[in-house]
Coordinates of all heavy atoms in Angstrom, one line a residue:
Chain A
I237 N 21.7 8.6 24.1 CA 21.9 10.0 23.8 C 21.1 10.8 24.9 O 20.0 10.5 25.3 CB 21.3 10.4 22.4 CG1 22.2 9.9 21.4 CG2 21.1 11.9 22.3 CD1 21.7 10.1 20.0
C246 N 18.2 6.5 33.2 CA 19.1 6.1 34.3 C 18.9 6.9 35.6 O 19.1 6.4 36.7 CB 20.6 6.2 33.8 SG 21.1 5.0 32.6
A247 N 18.5 8.1 35.4 CA 18.4 9.0 36.6 C 17.1 8.8 37.3 O 16.9 9.3 38.4 CB 18.6 10.5 36.2

Side-chain angles (χ1 to χ4, degrees):
Chain A
I237 287 178
C246 289

